[in-house]
């Protein structure tokens, strides 16, 4: 069988198309472009503040003024959108996460100010309570520590409305509560925010790779031994991801996301093939820190490793990728 199938050797030589850079470029099936990149950014209060995040070398918590400078640069180099995450001081955290819908809160202010100065950039904001809760969970909990799904949705809706009023372009619910996309869509529409888009973190897994992010926003402290397993997905499941995405689409999601990225490329492919929806992937904090740490030790070549990892997201079927490497990636892409 095999010998028959490949009997055209030596007239067929697949290496011919790999021989030089020009021909490799010409036949490449997938390419990474600046327009594929979304930059996640951590924000904090204050002016001219740039705080180091020890577990994410090269990533900072920025005050809004400094974030605006960075977003201007990203936008001028062709990055279509940024995703904002707040680092909220402990004094504003509560068990109910009420700061999440403060119309004068950090994220709401950031949205307003970025829109004023850089109207052309798309702004994505997270909808979930973890930056705002003392316990670090994405939802409200009862005395036993169980997550209250439907009560949480009421807060998420308020959070979404406050972001919409501030001028958000894309709302990204990352909380994994059942039914939240429908509730958010209905609330937005009833208030005239039909144009606000929903990018649903549909297949979000309960992952160890979020560790550095939780350092960055200070939500790691009291999550408890169960972590977020009662709402984020089990890493062993992929058929369930299809059900999650199907529900979010039915509820009104415009775009869907898989998270984390690299260990979940199979999920991206399945979802893209099944639904053909605009599908995004999040190269999460732990993925960033792994590549960064290995590069800083001289064990990996950073540029090649990063560009390869991102191209593989495209090959898997992602339309775009959220990556903490975005700033460097854009410069590397413009160089070549
Ligand atoms: C929280 C949220 C998380 C991330 C994005 N939104 C962390 C979590 O679920 O604990 C992780 C992103 C990253 O690790 O880079 N709603």
């Amino acid at each position: 069988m095999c010998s028959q199938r490949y009997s055209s050797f030596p007239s067929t030589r697949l290496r011919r198309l790999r021989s030089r850079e020009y021909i490799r470029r010409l036949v490449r099936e997938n390419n990474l472009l600046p327009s594929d990149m979304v930059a996640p950014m951590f924000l904090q209060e204050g002016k001219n503040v740039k705080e180091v995040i020890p577990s994410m070398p090269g990533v900072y918590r920025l005050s809004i003024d400094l974030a605006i400078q960075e977003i201007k640069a990203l936008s001028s180099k062709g990055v279509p959108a940024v995703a904002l995450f707040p680092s909220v001081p402990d004094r504003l955290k509560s068990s109910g996460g009420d700061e999440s819908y403060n119309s004068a809160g950090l994220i709401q202010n950031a949205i307003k100010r970025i829109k004023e100065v850089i109207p052309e950039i798309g702004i994505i904001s997270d909808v979930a309570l973890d930056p705002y809760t003392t316990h670090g969970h994405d939802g409200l909990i009862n005395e036993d520590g169980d997550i209250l799904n439907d009560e949480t949705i009421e807060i998420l809706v308020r959070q979404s409305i406050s972001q919409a009023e501030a001028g958000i372009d894309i709302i990204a619910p990352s909380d994994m509560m059942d039914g939240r996309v429908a509730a958010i869509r209905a609330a937005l529409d009833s208030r005239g925010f039909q144009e606000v888009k929903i990018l649903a973190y549909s297949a979000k897994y309960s992952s160890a790779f979020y560790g550095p992010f939780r350092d960055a926003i200070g939500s790691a402290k009291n999550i408890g031994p169960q972590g977020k397993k009662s709402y984020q997905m089990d890493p062993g499941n992929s058929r369930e991801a299809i059900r999650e995405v199907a529900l979010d689409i039915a509820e009104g999601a415009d775009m869907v996301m898989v998270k984390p990225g690299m260990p979940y490329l199979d999920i991206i492919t399945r979802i893209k093939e099944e639904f053909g929806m605009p599908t995004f992937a999040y190269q999460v904090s732990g993925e960033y820190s792994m590549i960064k740490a290995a590069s800083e030790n001289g064990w990996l070549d950073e540029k090649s490793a990063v560009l390869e990892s991102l191209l593989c997201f495209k090959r898997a079927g992602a339309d775009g990728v959220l990556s903490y490497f975005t700033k460097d990636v854009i410069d590397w892409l413009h160089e070549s």
Side-chain angles (χ1 to χ4, degrees), residues 6-26:
Y6 295 108
S7 62
S8 56
F9 179 82
S11 58
T12 299
R13 289 173 181 267
L14 292 180
R15 290 186 52 216
R16 262 186 216 122
L17 301 184
R18 295 178 202 145
S19 61
R20 296 281 184 276
E21 179 62 9
Y22 85 87
I23 192 69
R24 290 192 292 270
R25 286 178 55 222
L26 195 60

PDB file of all heavy atoms in Angstrom, residues 6-26:
ATOM      1  N   TYR A   6       3.391   6.088  -2.463  1.00  0.00           N
ATOM      2  CA  TYR A   6       4.517   7.018  -2.591  1.00  0.00           C
ATOM      3  C   TYR A   6       5.416   6.673  -3.774  1.00  0.00           C
ATOM      4  O   TYR A   6       6.541   7.101  -3.848  1.00  0.00           O
ATOM      5  CB  TYR A   6       5.330   7.028  -1.286  1.00  0.00           C
ATOM      6  CG  TYR A   6       4.522   7.581  -0.141  1.00  0.00           C
ATOM      7  CD1 TYR A   6       4.059   6.752   0.871  1.00  0.00           C
ATOM      8  CD2 TYR A   6       4.175   8.934  -0.116  1.00  0.00           C
ATOM      9  CE1 TYR A   6       3.277   7.259   1.901  1.00  0.00           C
ATOM     10  CE2 TYR A   6       3.407   9.445   0.905  1.00  0.00           C
ATOM     11  CZ  TYR A   6       2.959   8.605   1.917  1.00  0.00           C
ATOM     12  OH  TYR A   6       2.189   9.098   2.929  1.00  0.00           O
ATOM     13  N   SER A   7       4.871   5.903  -4.724  1.00  0.00           N
ATOM     14  CA  SER A   7       5.713   5.402  -5.808  1.00  0.00           C
ATOM     15  C   SER A   7       6.201   6.515  -6.728  1.00  0.00           C
ATOM     16  O   SER A   7       7.064   6.294  -7.555  1.00  0.00           O
ATOM     17  CB  SER A   7       4.954   4.361  -6.619  1.00  0.00           C
ATOM     18  OG  SER A   7       3.831   4.992  -7.190  1.00  0.00           O
ATOM     19  N   SER A   8       5.618   7.728  -6.607  1.00  0.00           N
ATOM     20  CA  SER A   8       6.076   8.798  -7.490  1.00  0.00           C
ATOM     21  C   SER A   8       7.468   9.315  -7.119  1.00  0.00           C
ATOM     22  O   SER A   8       8.025  10.128  -7.834  1.00  0.00           O
ATOM     23  CB  SER A   8       5.085   9.952  -7.479  1.00  0.00           C
ATOM     24  OG  SER A   8       4.905  10.381  -6.170  1.00  0.00           O
ATOM     25  N   PHE A   9       8.023   8.846  -6.011  1.00  0.00           N
ATOM     26  CA  PHE A   9       9.419   9.196  -5.699  1.00  0.00           C
ATOM     27  C   PHE A   9      10.325   8.625  -6.789  1.00  0.00           C
ATOM     28  O   PHE A   9      10.125   7.499  -7.201  1.00  0.00           O
ATOM     29  CB  PHE A   9       9.821   8.613  -4.333  1.00  0.00           C
ATOM     30  CG  PHE A   9      11.233   8.910  -3.947  1.00  0.00           C
ATOM     31  CD1 PHE A   9      11.552  10.133  -3.388  1.00  0.00           C
ATOM     32  CD2 PHE A   9      12.251   7.997  -4.189  1.00  0.00           C
ATOM     33  CE1 PHE A   9      12.858  10.436  -3.039  1.00  0.00           C
ATOM     34  CE2 PHE A   9      13.560   8.289  -3.854  1.00  0.00           C
ATOM     35  CZ  PHE A   9      13.863   9.502  -3.275  1.00  0.00           C
ATOM     36  N   PRO A  10      11.333   9.303  -7.340  1.00  0.00           N
ATOM     37  CA  PRO A  10      11.783  10.607  -6.868  1.00  0.00           C
ATOM     38  C   PRO A  10      11.219  11.802  -7.621  1.00  0.00           C
ATOM     39  O   PRO A  10      11.698  12.912  -7.428  1.00  0.00           O
ATOM     40  CB  PRO A  10      13.290  10.505  -7.103  1.00  0.00           C
ATOM     41  CG  PRO A  10      13.394   9.712  -8.372  1.00  0.00           C
ATOM     42  CD  PRO A  10      12.226   8.762  -8.370  1.00  0.00           C
ATOM     43  N   SER A  11      10.192  11.595  -8.491  1.00  0.00           N
ATOM     44  CA  SER A  11       9.704  12.776  -9.211  1.00  0.00           C
ATOM     45  C   SER A  11       8.968  13.737  -8.271  1.00  0.00           C
ATOM     46  O   SER A  11       9.022  14.943  -8.450  1.00  0.00           O
ATOM     47  CB  SER A  11       8.822  12.361 -10.386  1.00  0.00           C
ATOM     48  OG  SER A  11       7.746  11.605  -9.913  1.00  0.00           O
ATOM     49  N   THR A  12       8.272  13.221  -7.281  1.00  0.00           N
ATOM     50  CA  THR A  12       7.673  14.092  -6.260  1.00  0.00           C
ATOM     51  C   THR A  12       8.640  14.228  -5.106  1.00  0.00           C
ATOM     52  O   THR A  12       9.005  13.237  -4.467  1.00  0.00           O
ATOM     53  CB  THR A  12       6.345  13.503  -5.736  1.00  0.00           C
ATOM     54  OG1 THR A  12       5.453  13.394  -6.813  1.00  0.00           O
ATOM     55  CG2 THR A  12       5.738  14.397  -4.664  1.00  0.00           C
ATOM     56  N   ARG A  13       9.075  15.435  -4.885  1.00  0.00           N
ATOM     57  CA  ARG A  13      10.008  15.698  -3.782  1.00  0.00           C
ATOM     58  C   ARG A  13       9.468  16.890  -2.998  1.00  0.00           C
ATOM     59  O   ARG A  13       9.555  18.028  -3.448  1.00  0.00           O
ATOM     60  CB  ARG A  13      11.406  16.026  -4.329  1.00  0.00           C
ATOM     61  CG  ARG A  13      12.123  14.836  -4.923  1.00  0.00           C
ATOM     62  CD  ARG A  13      13.421  15.273  -5.588  1.00  0.00           C
ATOM     63  NE  ARG A  13      14.102  14.131  -6.184  1.00  0.00           N
ATOM     64  CZ  ARG A  13      15.033  13.400  -5.556  1.00  0.00           C
ATOM     65  NH1 ARG A  13      15.392  13.703  -4.331  1.00  0.00           N
ATOM     66  NH2 ARG A  13      15.595  12.379  -6.175  1.00  0.00           N
ATOM     67  N   LEU A  14       8.878  16.583  -1.848  1.00  0.00           N
ATOM     68  CA  LEU A  14       8.254  17.672  -1.072  1.00  0.00           C
ATOM     69  C   LEU A  14       9.285  18.688  -0.592  1.00  0.00           C
ATOM     70  O   LEU A  14       8.948  19.844  -0.352  1.00  0.00           O
ATOM     71  CB  LEU A  14       7.468  17.082   0.108  1.00  0.00           C
ATOM     72  CG  LEU A  14       6.222  16.290  -0.305  1.00  0.00           C
ATOM     73  CD1 LEU A  14       5.501  15.746   0.926  1.00  0.00           C
ATOM     74  CD2 LEU A  14       5.253  17.147  -1.115  1.00  0.00           C
ATOM     75  N   ARG A  15      10.509  18.287  -0.501  1.00  0.00           N
ATOM     76  CA  ARG A  15      11.540  19.217  -0.024  1.00  0.00           C
ATOM     77  C   ARG A  15      11.804  20.354  -1.017  1.00  0.00           C
ATOM     78  O   ARG A  15      12.372  21.378  -0.642  1.00  0.00           O
ATOM     79  CB  ARG A  15      12.836  18.463   0.277  1.00  0.00           C
ATOM     80  CG  ARG A  15      12.720  17.565   1.508  1.00  0.00           C
ATOM     81  CD  ARG A  15      14.066  16.948   1.848  1.00  0.00           C
ATOM     82  NE  ARG A  15      15.105  17.935   1.940  1.00  0.00           N
ATOM     83  CZ  ARG A  15      16.358  17.739   1.557  1.00  0.00           C
ATOM     84  NH1 ARG A  15      16.721  16.582   1.036  1.00  0.00           N
ATOM     85  NH2 ARG A  15      17.254  18.690   1.668  1.00  0.00           N
ATOM     86  N   ARG A  16      11.386  20.128  -2.308  1.00  0.00           N
ATOM     87  CA  ARG A  16      11.592  21.217  -3.288  1.00  0.00           C
ATOM     88  C   ARG A  16      10.994  22.539  -2.813  1.00  0.00           C
ATOM     89  O   ARG A  16      11.545  23.604  -3.019  1.00  0.00           O
ATOM     90  CB  ARG A  16      10.903  20.859  -4.610  1.00  0.00           C
ATOM     91  CG  ARG A  16      11.812  20.288  -5.628  1.00  0.00           C
ATOM     92  CD  ARG A  16      11.043  20.116  -6.935  1.00  0.00           C
ATOM     93  NE  ARG A  16      11.515  18.909  -7.558  1.00  0.00           N
ATOM     94  CZ  ARG A  16      10.775  17.872  -7.895  1.00  0.00           C
ATOM     95  NH1 ARG A  16       9.461  17.907  -7.735  1.00  0.00           N
ATOM     96  NH2 ARG A  16      11.308  16.808  -8.401  1.00  0.00           N
ATOM     97  N   LEU A  17       9.816  22.435  -2.185  1.00  0.00           N
ATOM     98  CA  LEU A  17       9.113  23.657  -1.768  1.00  0.00           C
ATOM     99  C   LEU A  17       9.587  24.171  -0.402  1.00  0.00           C
ATOM    100  O   LEU A  17       9.008  25.086   0.146  1.00  0.00           O
ATOM    101  CB  LEU A  17       7.594  23.414  -1.749  1.00  0.00           C
ATOM    102  CG  LEU A  17       6.978  22.992  -3.087  1.00  0.00           C
ATOM    103  CD1 LEU A  17       5.463  22.888  -2.963  1.00  0.00           C
ATOM    104  CD2 LEU A  17       7.331  23.984  -4.191  1.00  0.00           C
ATOM    105  N   ARG A  18      10.615  23.495   0.104  1.00  0.00           N
ATOM    106  CA  ARG A  18      11.177  23.984   1.383  1.00  0.00           C
ATOM    107  C   ARG A  18      12.584  24.523   1.212  1.00  0.00           C
ATOM    108  O   ARG A  18      13.239  24.882   2.184  1.00  0.00           O
ATOM    109  CB  ARG A  18      11.260  22.832   2.395  1.00  0.00           C
ATOM    110  CG  ARG A  18       9.932  22.284   2.813  1.00  0.00           C
ATOM    111  CD  ARG A  18      10.104  21.109   3.770  1.00  0.00           C
ATOM    112  NE  ARG A  18       8.909  20.282   3.745  1.00  0.00           N
ATOM    113  CZ  ARG A  18       8.903  18.965   3.877  1.00  0.00           C
ATOM    114  NH1 ARG A  18      10.026  18.306   4.067  1.00  0.00           N
ATOM    115  NH2 ARG A  18       7.769  18.300   3.812  1.00  0.00           N
ATOM    116  N   SER A  19      13.044  24.585  -0.026  1.00  0.00           N
ATOM    117  CA  SER A  19      14.479  24.778  -0.248  1.00  0.00           C
ATOM    118  C   SER A  19      14.984  26.192   0.041  1.00  0.00           C
ATOM    119  O   SER A  19      16.120  26.372   0.434  1.00  0.00           O
ATOM    120  CB  SER A  19      14.828  24.403  -1.678  1.00  0.00           C
ATOM    121  OG  SER A  19      14.110  25.257  -2.559  1.00  0.00           O
ATOM    122  N   ARG A  20      14.143  27.212  -0.171  1.00  0.00           N
ATOM    123  CA  ARG A  20      14.572  28.600   0.008  1.00  0.00           C
ATOM    124  C   ARG A  20      13.443  29.380   0.681  1.00  0.00           C
ATOM    125  O   ARG A  20      12.270  29.032   0.553  1.00  0.00           O
ATOM    126  CB  ARG A  20      14.857  29.275  -1.348  1.00  0.00           C
ATOM    127  CG  ARG A  20      16.000  28.674  -2.147  1.00  0.00           C
ATOM    128  CD  ARG A  20      17.376  29.127  -1.633  1.00  0.00           C
ATOM    129  NE  ARG A  20      18.446  28.607  -2.473  1.00  0.00           N
ATOM    130  CZ  ARG A  20      18.983  27.394  -2.334  1.00  0.00           C
ATOM    131  NH1 ARG A  20      18.542  26.566  -1.400  1.00  0.00           N
ATOM    132  NH2 ARG A  20      19.948  26.997  -3.145  1.00  0.00           N
ATOM    133  N   GLU A  21      13.832  30.465   1.289  1.00  0.00           N
ATOM    134  CA  GLU A  21      12.832  31.260   2.016  1.00  0.00           C
ATOM    135  C   GLU A  21      11.710  31.740   1.094  1.00  0.00           C
ATOM    136  O   GLU A  21      10.533  31.718   1.460  1.00  0.00           O
ATOM    137  CB  GLU A  21      13.523  32.444   2.726  1.00  0.00           C
ATOM    138  CG  GLU A  21      12.607  33.370   3.514  1.00  0.00           C
ATOM    139  CD  GLU A  21      11.858  32.693   4.686  1.00  0.00           C
ATOM    140  OE1 GLU A  21      12.137  31.528   5.033  1.00  0.00           O
ATOM    141  OE2 GLU A  21      10.952  33.365   5.230  1.00  0.00           O
ATOM    142  N   TYR A  22      12.062  32.177  -0.135  1.00  0.00           N
ATOM    143  CA  TYR A  22      11.016  32.738  -1.008  1.00  0.00           C
ATOM    144  C   TYR A  22       9.917  31.712  -1.287  1.00  0.00           C
ATOM    145  O   TYR A  22       8.731  32.030  -1.296  1.00  0.00           O
ATOM    146  CB  TYR A  22      11.629  33.241  -2.334  1.00  0.00           C
ATOM    147  CG  TYR A  22      11.796  32.169  -3.381  1.00  0.00           C
ATOM    148  CD1 TYR A  22      10.746  31.856  -4.249  1.00  0.00           C
ATOM    149  CD2 TYR A  22      12.976  31.439  -3.472  1.00  0.00           C
ATOM    150  CE1 TYR A  22      10.883  30.838  -5.183  1.00  0.00           C
ATOM    151  CE2 TYR A  22      13.113  30.433  -4.387  1.00  0.00           C
ATOM    152  CZ  TYR A  22      12.071  30.121  -5.242  1.00  0.00           C
ATOM    153  OH  TYR A  22      12.188  29.123  -6.139  1.00  0.00           O
ATOM    154  N   ILE A  23      10.340  30.451  -1.486  1.00  0.00           N
ATOM    155  CA  ILE A  23       9.334  29.446  -1.849  1.00  0.00           C
ATOM    156  C   ILE A  23       8.563  28.994  -0.601  1.00  0.00           C
ATOM    157  O   ILE A  23       7.365  28.732  -0.649  1.00  0.00           O
ATOM    158  CB  ILE A  23       9.967  28.257  -2.626  1.00  0.00           C
ATOM    159  CG1 ILE A  23       8.870  27.380  -3.250  1.00  0.00           C
ATOM    160  CG2 ILE A  23      10.889  27.419  -1.772  1.00  0.00           C
ATOM    161  CD1 ILE A  23       8.138  28.047  -4.373  1.00  0.00           C
ATOM    162  N   ARG A  24       9.238  28.968   0.528  1.00  0.00           N
ATOM    163  CA  ARG A  24       8.514  28.639   1.762  1.00  0.00           C
ATOM    164  C   ARG A  24       7.443  29.698   2.026  1.00  0.00           C
ATOM    165  O   ARG A  24       6.307  29.373   2.383  1.00  0.00           O
ATOM    166  CB  ARG A  24       9.493  28.569   2.951  1.00  0.00           C
ATOM    167  CG  ARG A  24      10.429  27.370   2.907  1.00  0.00           C
ATOM    168  CD  ARG A  24      11.171  27.176   4.224  1.00  0.00           C
ATOM    169  NE  ARG A  24      12.144  28.219   4.520  1.00  0.00           N
ATOM    170  CZ  ARG A  24      13.435  28.186   4.146  1.00  0.00           C
ATOM    171  NH1 ARG A  24      13.899  27.164   3.441  1.00  0.00           N
ATOM    172  NH2 ARG A  24      14.259  29.163   4.473  1.00  0.00           N
ATOM    173  N   ARG A  25       7.822  30.948   1.807  1.00  0.00           N
ATOM    174  CA  ARG A  25       6.826  32.024   2.016  1.00  0.00           C
ATOM    175  C   ARG A  25       5.667  31.898   1.053  1.00  0.00           C
ATOM    176  O   ARG A  25       4.507  32.102   1.405  1.00  0.00           O
ATOM    177  CB  ARG A  25       7.490  33.403   1.851  1.00  0.00           C
ATOM    178  CG  ARG A  25       8.386  33.779   3.023  1.00  0.00           C
ATOM    179  CD  ARG A  25       9.053  35.125   2.808  1.00  0.00           C
ATOM    180  NE  ARG A  25       8.111  36.195   2.537  1.00  0.00           N
ATOM    181  CZ  ARG A  25       8.285  37.145   1.627  1.00  0.00           C
ATOM    182  NH1 ARG A  25       9.374  37.170   0.877  1.00  0.00           N
ATOM    183  NH2 ARG A  25       7.397  38.073   1.454  1.00  0.00           N
ATOM    184  N   LEU A  26       6.003  31.558  -0.188  1.00  0.00           N
ATOM    185  CA  LEU A  26       4.970  31.496  -1.226  1.00  0.00           C
ATOM    186  C   LEU A  26       3.924  30.413  -0.949  1.00  0.00           C
ATOM    187  O   LEU A  26       2.747  30.603  -1.227  1.00  0.00           O
ATOM    188  CB  LEU A  26       5.652  31.234  -2.582  1.00  0.00           C
ATOM    189  CG  LEU A  26       4.827  31.488  -3.845  1.00  0.00           C
ATOM    190  CD1 LEU A  26       4.383  32.937  -3.934  1.00  0.00           C
ATOM    191  CD2 LEU A  26       5.649  31.107  -5.080  1.00  0.00           C
TER     192      LEU A  26
END
